Amino acid sequence: MTIIQLKYITTLEETRNFTKAANICGVSQPTLSMQIQKLEEELKVVIFDRSKKPIKLTKIGISLINQSKKILKEYNRIDDILNNKKQLLSGNFLIKSYK
């Protein structure tokens, strides 16, 4: 399981469309589909019911998406922490020369 796969399933859950989700994620539709299928095989569960249009989450899929959103939120905090640390040394500086 990878962060990328979690991003893919949460984006697919939001859009309910493989093509739209792939565009948002910046990958081809086959790549997105393949990664989601690999995740389902690894976890030995079906996350999305693809027989319905638009696609729907399975019961286990709902739980996985909820947990994935929590994981991604915490993962994104790493960037926030690093950006805050970097901002301590950033900003506008004015240097005047006196003669």
Side-chain angles (χ1 to χ4, degrees):
M1 179 181 337
T2 67
I3 292 292
I4 298 288
Q5 288 171 321
L6 298 181
K7 287 180 183 179
Y8 289 173
I9 64 171
T10 56
T11 303
L12 181 58
E13 183 267 333
E14 291 168 6
T15 63
R16 305 293 173 138
N17 181 285
F18 279 91
T19 303
K20 288 179 185 176
N23 286 335
I24 291 169
C25 293
V27 296
S28 68
Q29 186 272 324
T31 297
L32 182 105
S33 296
M34 181 183 69
Q35 286 299 315
I36 291 173
Q37 184 176 2
K38 282 176 69 174
L39 179 61
E40 289 176 322
E41 289 170 2
E42 178 185 340
L43 300 177
K44 296 178 177 67
V45 298
V46 175
I47 301 169
F48 296 97
D49 180 354
R50 293 162 177 82
S51 67
K52 309 235 189 258
K53 296 287 181 181
I55 62 167
K56 293 193 173 209
L57 287 166
T58 61
K59 286 184 181 182
I60 190 71
I62 293 168
S63 297
L64 289 172
I65 290 295
N66 290 335
Q67 188 63 37
S68 295
K69 287 179 180 179
K70 291 175 188 175
I71 291 167
L72 291 171
K73 182 178 178 182
E74 290 301 313
Y75 175 79
N76 290 331
R77 288 196 63 225
I78 292 171
D79 284 338
D80 294 341
I81 291 166
L82 293 175
N83 288 334
N84 285 336
K85 289 289 183 187
K86 290 176 186 174
Q87 287 178 359
L88 293 176
L89 300 175
S90 67
N92 295 325
F93 296 98
L94 177 62
I95 300 174
K96 291 187 177 184
S97 174
Y98 295 100
K99 291 188 179 185

